[in-house]
Amino acid sequence: MKRSERHHLKENALAVMIADFQRRFEDWGSKLLIGMAVGVGILALYGGYSWWTQRAESSAGALLADALVVADAPVVPPPPPPVANPTAPGSDDPKVDVVETPEPSPFVQPEGSYPTMEAKMSASLPKLLEAADTYPNTHPGITARYRAAAALSALGRYNEAAEQYQQVLDTGNAGVYARMATLGLASVEISRGAYDAAIALLEPSTATAPVAELPVDGVLMELGRAYQLAGRTGDAQAAFQRVMDEFPTSLYFTDAQRKLQALQIEG
């Protein structure tokens, strides 16, 4: 083979190798670009989601704070009406020796306060429900819904309270409020006369700590009340006895003792 031919073959081999490398580089480069684009897209989505979540939490927090200004406002009832001026003892003439007292100033409700608890709760409800319904899955929204449920229960609007408590329980990230809503809903069921429903809610939470998710002594007291109202006297006695045996320093101890003694007397 001539020298020129061998040189030509070497040049062709080099060209083929360069062309193959260029093709591989272009293929690898296109995959790299696609991967980079996907990565940038994921980062953009994550950043957008994080931004939206933080913005929602912030907006929900602002609504909750506005609602709590009303929900936690002081209650200042107006003073009782003044009594009539008394006459002096032993006086036959009511016009003589009348004890003069100055007329009281008209009562003015202090700014930011409410005359009754009912008035305060009624005023706070729309704000609490607005925060809960606008941002239902945020922590402030869940807090607002729980507070709204408690207010509805205190106002005697038990069906609405039960609905709000159930929505808290149905939220996957309610945390401690889910456990508190269990106790709240059980109390509502007792008030509605649904004693078996209340018992079903409370019984799983009567395990001793640290397994229990609620304060066991408080749950036992509520469970004992449900048992008693349902006519299950023996179960009620057992629940109150557990409070005394297992929680001797509980704030409920004296009440449990009193209820147990009353049930024992009733036989």
Side-chain angles (χ1 to χ4, degrees), residues 166-196:
Q166 190 60 57
Q167 287 192 50
V168 174
L169 292 172
D170 292 340
T171 304
N173 60 334
V176 67
Y177 283 107
R179 300 190 288 274
M180 294 167 62
T182 299
L183 194 56
L185 181 56
S187 179
V188 167
E189 297 294 14
I190 292 174
S191 298
R192 294 198 296 184
Y195 307 129
D196 290 338

Side-chain angles (χ1 to χ4, degrees), residues 141-164:
I142 294 167
T143 303
R145 192 173 302 284
Y146 174 81
R147 292 290 298 265
L152 287 165
S153 178
L155 290 170
R157 295 162 60 176
Y158 299 123
N159 292 341
E160 296 171 81
E163 181 182 348
Q164 296 300 322

Side-chain angles (χ1 to χ4, degrees), residues 21-237:
F21 177 78
Q22 184 177 8
R23 179 182 60 79
R24 290 176 180 274
F25 179 79
E26 290 175 353
D27 184 57
W28 176 78
S30 63
K31 291 180 180 179
L32 178 62
L33 289 175
I34 293 173
M36 290 176 63
V38 171
V40 170
I42 292 173
L43 288 174
L45 288 173
Y46 177 76
Y49 175 77
S50 298
W51 174 84
W52 182 88
T53 300
Q54 292 175 0
R55 183 175 181 273
E57 288 280 342
S58 176
S59 300
L63 283 178
L64 175 62
D66 184 52
L68 292 182
V69 169
V70 179
D72 295 335
V75 173
V76 182
V83 296
N85 288 332
T87 58
S91 173
D92 295 330
D93 186 355
K95 296 181 180 179
V96 179
D97 297 324
V98 173
V99 179
E100 296 290 341
T101 57
E103 288 292 328
S105 301
F107 174 75
V108 178
Q109 189 71 41
E111 185 177 357
S113 69
Y114 291 85
T116 64
M117 185 67 71
E118 180 179 357
K120 181 178 76 167
M121 290 181 177
S122 297
S124 68
L125 264 174
K127 293 178 176 292
L128 290 169
L129 290 174
E130 180 187 5
D133 293 337
T134 306
Y135 302 99
N137 295 315
T138 64
H139 292 296
I142 294 167
T143 303
R145 192 173 302 284
Y146 174 81
R147 292 290 298 265
L152 287 165
S153 178
L155 290 170
R157 295 162 60 176
Y158 299 123
N159 292 341
E160 296 171 81
E163 181 182 348
Q164 296 300 322
Y165 276 133
Q166 190 60 57
Q167 287 192 50
V168 174
L169 292 172
D170 292 340
T171 304
N173 60 334
V176 67
Y177 283 107
R179 300 190 288 274
M180 294 167 62
T182 299
L183 194 56
L185 181 56
S187 179
V188 167
E189 297 294 14
I190 292 174
S191 298
R192 294 198 296 184
Y195 307 129
D196 290 338
I199 291 168
L201 284 166
L202 294 169
E203 282 183 333
S205 299
T206 57
T208 54
V211 178
E213 296 182 333
L214 289 167
V216 181
D217 53 346
V219 174
L220 285 169
M221 290 298 297
E222 197 73 357
L223 182 59
R225 184 164 75 99
Y227 282 143
Q228 184 177 1
L229 291 170
R232 296 168 58 175
T233 304
D235 290 330
Q237 290 178 342

